[in-house]
Amino acid sequence: MDIKKLLRSSGMAALAAALTFAAMPAQAEAAEAAAAEMRDKKDRSAKQQRSSERRATRSNSRRSEARPQRTQRRAERTQTRTQRRSERRAERPATRQQRANRVERRGDRTANRVNNRSENRANRVNRRSDRQAAQLRNRGNDRAARQVDRRANRIERNGDRRANQVNRRSERRADNVRNGTYRNRDRNRSYRNDRTRADNRRNIRREAQRNGRAENRRDYRRDRRAENRRDYRRQVRRDQRRWDRKRWRNNNRYNWHNHRRYNRSTYRLGRYYAPYRNYRYSRFSIGVYLDNVFFGSRYRINDPWRYRLPAVYGDYRWVRYYDDVMLVDTYTGEVVDVIYDFFW
């Protein structure tokens, strides 16, 4: 038994020793690999440091070389600009004179255009005002004719005034361009102050003229509207005095009874829709004044001859009211004529 135990223990020891000897080379290889990796890292860090040092050295050397060159180029550009500026200053008087001449020529052209435009407008207004004044005088309205003449004269004066303003403005602009060569600041300041005061006075005058023209235009339009209303009312009264309710009924051309007898479908217009809700029929007679909703465009008869009704004029209109037809003065709303049970 002792021999067996001894052999067994010696075998186990030999196996352990064999296993130990087999594991030692693997540990040695792992240690060598770790050492090699550490050396590689150190070498890479040293290489990066050397490259950064070389890069910094190169950038410093380039910068130190480029700074004097930039300074020199900047000095050359400054000298070139100074030389060009001095040349322009030397040529400036002639240039200002040329600009002044151009401004003056442009002002003359503008003044000529304004003059031509104002003359053409004044001629048109004169011709139109002459025609209007003649018409008004023929009607016996001398006051409106005088107003038309005054308006034409005012337009002509305004055109001349505007042309003179354009001429003065162009002359001042040319003088300002020529006076730019002065070196005296006080003198230039006095010129600017004088120009500012002149501009203020001109603006005040222009505002007063504009207000005056607007007031004149308002007065003229107010008078014209009043005159047109009077003429219109006079014409309406003259036209409405001609209407005769009995004469057209005695004319056979307007025999709507026989026409309705043979054209019954023409007088069947369908349902009548009242302008108000829940409105009931009320029999209207001549002389009654209606609200304008009763003779709106939806109730008007645009073709009276279709129903053998006479043609109307002025503010008169034939309108349908349920089965009745009425002649209404749309200006006053008065019922001038009426036919009951005209439609089916």
Side-chain angles (χ1 to χ4, degrees):
M1 289 296 295
D2 295 336
I3 295 172
K4 288 181 181 179
K5 291 180 180 178
L6 180 61
L7 291 174
R8 188 179 299 152
S9 59
S10 62
M12 294 295 290
L15 181 59
L19 292 172
T20 303
F21 287 134
M24 288 178 64
Q27 294 178 356
E29 290 178 358
E32 290 179 358
E37 187 176 358
M38 291 295 292
R39 286 194 299 273
D40 292 338
K41 288 183 179 179
K42 290 181 180 180
D43 293 339
R44 283 198 298 273
S45 62
K47 187 181 295 183
Q48 290 177 358
Q49 186 176 2
R50 288 194 299 271
S51 63
S52 62
E53 290 176 355
R54 287 195 298 271
R55 194 180 300 111
T57 303
R58 285 197 300 271
S59 64
N60 291 329
S61 62
R62 289 175 182 174
R63 193 177 301 159
S64 61
E65 292 176 357
R67 188 177 294 110
Q69 295 178 359
R70 285 199 301 272
T71 304
Q72 185 177 0
R73 287 196 298 270
R74 192 180 296 112
E76 291 176 356
R77 286 197 298 270
T78 303
Q79 185 177 2
T80 303
R81 284 197 298 271
T82 304
Q83 186 175 0
R84 290 176 181 174
R85 194 179 296 115
S86 62
E87 292 176 356
R88 286 198 298 271
R89 286 177 181 175
E91 296 175 355
R92 189 171 295 173
T95 305
R96 286 184 181 275
Q97 185 65 30
Q98 293 174 0
R99 286 178 55 195
N101 295 332
R102 286 198 301 270
V103 169
E104 191 170 0
R105 288 194 297 271
R106 191 182 302 118
D108 293 337
R109 289 195 298 270
T110 304
N112 292 329
R113 285 198 300 270
V114 171
N115 283 326
N116 294 330
R117 194 179 300 120
S118 61
E119 289 178 358
N120 293 330
R121 184 166 180 263
N123 293 329
R124 289 196 302 271
V125 171
N126 284 328
R127 290 193 296 270
R128 191 183 304 117
S129 62
D130 292 339
R131 289 195 299 270
Q132 293 177 357
Q135 293 174 359
L136 292 172
R137 287 193 180 93
N138 291 330
R139 295 177 183 175
N141 195 347
D142 294 334
R143 179 182 176 184
R146 288 194 297 272
Q147 290 178 354
V148 170
D149 292 335
R150 285 197 297 271
R151 180 173 178 268
N153 295 330
R154 188 168 55 251
I155 291 174
E156 188 174 1
R157 289 195 300 271
N158 291 334
D160 296 337
R161 192 181 301 112
R162 186 182 176 191
N164 294 329
Q165 289 176 359
V166 171
N167 286 325
R168 289 195 296 270
R169 192 181 300 118
S170 62
E171 291 175 358
R172 283 198 298 272
R173 191 178 293 115
D175 293 337
N176 292 332
V177 172
R178 291 192 187 94
N179 294 333
T181 57
Y182 289 145
R183 299 295 183 182
N184 191 347
R185 294 183 178 179
D186 295 334
R187 180 180 296 176
N188 290 331
R189 191 179 298 113
S190 64
Y191 286 154
R192 286 193 295 271
N193 294 332
D194 294 340
R195 189 167 61 252
T196 303
R197 286 193 292 271
D199 292 338
N200 292 331
R201 288 194 297 271
R202 187 171 60 255
N203 292 331
I204 292 171
R205 288 196 299 271
R206 188 181 298 119
E207 187 68 23
Q209 293 170 1
R210 190 182 298 114
N211 294 332
R213 287 195 295 270
E215 185 67 25
N216 293 330
R217 284 196 296 270
R218 283 195 295 271
D219 294 340
Y220 175 75
R221 291 170 183 169
R222 192 182 301 113
D223 295 337
R224 285 299 300 275
R225 284 195 296 268
E227 184 62 26
N228 290 333
R229 283 195 297 269
R230 285 194 294 271
D231 293 341
Y232 178 75
R233 291 171 183 170
R234 203 180 298 114
Q235 184 68 24
V236 167
R237 287 194 297 270
R238 187 164 53 249
D239 291 339
Q240 291 177 353
R241 281 196 299 269
R242 298 174 185 172
W243 184 262
D244 190 354
R245 293 189 292 269
K246 297 180 180 179
R247 182 179 300 176
W248 73 269
R249 287 183 171 86
N250 297 327
N251 192 342
N252 291 327
R253 294 180 65 249
Y254 306 116
N255 191 355
W256 58 272
H257 292 280
N258 293 333
H259 186 71
R260 187 176 65 175
R261 186 182 304 167
Y262 298 107
N263 299 277
R264 301 176 67 87
S265 60
T266 304
Y267 292 82
R268 187 175 289 109
L269 299 182
R271 182 179 177 182
Y272 178 85
Y273 292 93
Y276 299 113
R277 183 179 294 180
N278 298 327
Y279 180 80
R280 300 289 182 87
Y281 172 80
S282 179
R283 193 180 184 91
F284 293 136
S285 60
I286 297 173
V288 175
Y289 289 88
L290 300 177
D291 195 0
N292 56 2
V293 295
F294 288 97
F295 49 85
S297 59
R298 59 184 294 187
Y299 301 115
R300 294 181 181 178
I301 298 175
N302 297 321
D303 188 8
W305 177 248
R306 183 182 181 186
Y307 307 101
R308 294 303 183 266
L309 294 173
V312 293
Y313 45 81
D315 291 329
Y316 292 143
R317 293 293 182 273
W318 288 106
V319 296
R320 179 193 176 192
Y321 176 71
Y322 287 92
D323 291 339
D324 303 339
V325 61
M326 297 185 298
L327 183 63
V328 181
D329 183 0
T330 58
Y331 186 77
T332 60
E334 182 183 2
V335 178
V336 180
D337 200 350
V338 61
I339 303 174
Y340 302 110
D341 298 329
F342 185 77
F343 298 105
W344 297 107

